[in-house]
Amino acid sequence: MPPSRTPINKALREYTDRLLYHSIVVHSALAFTKLCWTIKKQLHLGALVNELSIRPEDVPKSTPVDGTIRTVLCTLRNLRTLIIDGHPRAADCFLAWPSSHAAPTPLLSHLELRGIYSPAFAPKAFDPRVYAPLARLPKLHTCKLALTDVATPAALPNIEQSAVAPLRVKSVHLSGPLTDSHASVVALLAACPLAHSLALDDTSSRQTPNFPNLVAALSPSFTSLSFTYRIPGHSAFTDGLLRFTQLTSLTLGPGTFRPDLDYRAFHSLPLTSLGFTLGSEVRLDPLLALVAGPTKHRSLSCLRLDVVDGEFPHSAHPSAKRTPSSGWKKPRWTEEVSPQRARAFLKLAAMGGVEVVGSVRWALAVQDGIEGREVDFAEMIGMT
């Protein structure tokens, strides 16, 4: 009789399960249902999951019952990263965990809830009481909440801060109707006393400049800030940034500053990194005051300029010099950020010891290829 191979088969199965379940991305509601039933039948599989991303591309019409979802959550004791994008039921089950139960994911360090909308959830928006269960996650470091298609919330009763347990998060990203939910957002951020990094992306419906009021309500202890205000017209608030005396990293998006911004005002901040995102009305000539010459910022070492639109070779293989593929889109330059001005700016910034990164560098590489120049991708590896 041949020797039994059961131990070998068992070890192989365990090894295969660890590979299959370590990082899971769910792209459909049906796949999420199948995953829940698989783990419910084999509960030991939940402990193998370190990263779980639920992002159905279809509308979740039929999903597992709440009890099944909660059973699965209970098994994810080694989960480090959880992303729920566009699946309200899964998000509701995670946030509505009974206070009498231990946290289902005690090792979770990174949480993203995006595209979350339901009629019951809309009035609550960013009310910190909704996220009270997160206070029981001792390892939670980063929390990103992106609420889309949320109706203007109804008036909420006064939120007693003492009734909201503090969260341990260090990095907070909020996207959605922030100024339409001013009181809730302020209370939610107050419930994150340890946070030192904050990103706000406001999609509010009001045509009034309320975003500066929200910034003015922030604690001045943040060391990293990123702002985007998507309402047409400007809601400049850069003067209010000067009170963030510990700020080392700042990213500004559309609507947060005027084109005639005097960048020299940032000299009073201990910035090491400054960035501008696509749609920002950046003028390179005035920006030179921060990166070169006698007015150079004393601590600034990195400037990110993601201000040129187009499709660039971020994944290009660096093995040789070559001209860009015809599949790339020609960069869409502006009068204030033209190829000529960008080249001159990069040279002066390098002389001042400031590294310029972002889409402007890739756009120049594509532009050089269009103009028949060789592109040295090996040299560009550090430019992303």
Side-chain angles (χ1 to χ4, degrees):
M1 179 181 294
S4 172
R5 296 183 181 180
T6 302
I8 296 178
N9 291 339
K10 182 180 179 181
L12 180 60
R13 176 61 184 271
E14 291 176 351
Y15 174 74
T16 303
D17 285 344
R18 284 197 299 272
L19 290 179
L20 289 176
Y21 288 90
H22 182 274
S23 180
I24 300 176
V25 179
V26 177
H27 288 293
S28 71
L30 179 59
F32 177 64
T33 299
K34 290 181 177 180
L35 175 66
C36 287
W37 281 110
T38 299
I39 294 180
K40 185 178 181 180
K41 291 179 180 179
Q42 304 179 68
L43 296 177
H44 69 280
L45 295 177
L48 303 179
V49 183
N50 275 248
E51 301 175 2
L52 176 59
S53 179
I54 306 169
R55 47 181 74 183
E57 297 173 359
D58 54 346
V59 178
K61 295 181 180 179
S62 60
T63 60
V65 297
D66 291 357
T68 298
I69 296 177
R70 290 197 175 99
T71 297
V72 172
L73 288 175
C74 281
T75 69
L76 305 179
R77 60 179 180 273
N78 292 316
L79 191 69
R80 265 72 171 180
T81 298
L82 176 61
I83 300 173
I84 303 178
D85 188 348
H87 202 300
R89 285 282 298 284
D92 288 345
C93 287
F94 184 79
L95 291 174
W97 201 256
S99 59
S100 58
H101 291 65
T105 55
L107 300 182
L108 190 69
S109 62
H110 185 103
L111 173 65
E112 294 186 32
L113 302 179
R114 301 198 296 250
I116 305 303
Y117 171 75
S118 68
F121 189 79
K124 303 172 185 177
F126 295 96
D127 187 339
R129 291 168 291 193
V130 174
Y131 309 101
L134 302 184
R136 288 179 282 153
L137 300 175
K139 302 291 185 180
L140 189 61
H141 180 279
T142 299
C143 183
K144 298 183 179 183
L145 305 177
L147 311 182
T148 58
D149 299 324
V150 178
T152 301
L156 292 169
N158 291 331
I159 300 174
E160 295 183 10
Q161 196 57 49
S162 58
V164 180
L167 309 184
R168 297 177 175 88
V169 293
K170 308 298 191 302
S171 179
V172 179
H173 300 237
L174 302 180
S175 177
L178 303 182
T179 53
D180 282 350
S181 314
H182 179 98
S184 295
V185 172
V186 171
L188 177 58
L189 293 176
C192 305
L194 302 180
H196 56 75
S197 177
L198 174 66
L200 299 179
D201 182 0
D202 192 10
T203 62
S204 294
S205 59
R206 299 180 185 180
Q207 299 293 321
T208 54
N210 290 326
F211 197 60
N213 298 333
L214 179 57
V215 175
L218 300 178
S219 165
S221 61
F222 286 103
T223 60
S224 177
L225 292 173
S226 177
F227 297 123
T228 299
Y229 185 71
R230 299 181 183 273
I231 305 302
H234 291 285
S235 185
F237 57 87
T238 44
D239 289 345
L241 294 176
L242 301 184
R243 68 187 185 88
F244 296 94
T245 56
Q246 302 177 55
L247 194 63
T248 59
S249 178
L250 173 64
T251 300
L252 297 175
T256 59
F257 65 97
R258 295 187 176 87
D260 59 353
L261 171 65
D262 186 356
Y263 299 102
R264 292 174 297 181
F266 293 147
H267 276 291
S268 62
L269 300 176
L271 293 174
T272 59
S273 175
L274 177 63
F276 297 92
T277 60
L278 188 63
S280 303
E281 297 184 72
V282 173
R283 294 181 178 178
L284 293 182
D285 292 347
L287 191 55
L288 275 175
L290 282 185
V291 302
T295 60
K296 178 191 175 299
H297 194 287
R298 66 187 183 280
S299 58
L300 188 67
S301 59
C302 181
L303 178 65
R304 175 170 288 277
L305 294 176
D306 285 320
V307 294
V308 182
D309 197 8
E311 292 184 0
F312 309 131
H314 293 280
S315 59
H317 193 277
S319 60
K321 295 181 178 180
R322 50 185 167 172
T323 56
S325 162
S326 59
W328 299 343
K329 286 185 180 179
K330 185 177 180 179
R332 289 177 282 278
W333 300 95
T334 65
E335 181 179 351
E336 294 297 334
V337 185
S338 64
Q340 297 77 17
R341 284 181 170 172
R343 287 193 187 97
F345 184 90
L346 262 62
K347 289 181 180 179
L348 291 172
M351 293 173 59
V354 177
E355 180 185 15
V356 180
V357 299
S359 66
V360 69
R361 301 211 69 150
W362 288 108
L364 278 178
V366 174
Q367 191 70 36
D368 287 345
I370 292 172
E371 295 173 1
R373 305 175 186 178
E374 286 188 321
V375 182
D376 188 345
F377 286 106
E379 185 180 321
M380 291 182 60
I381 276 297
M383 297 182 181
T384 51

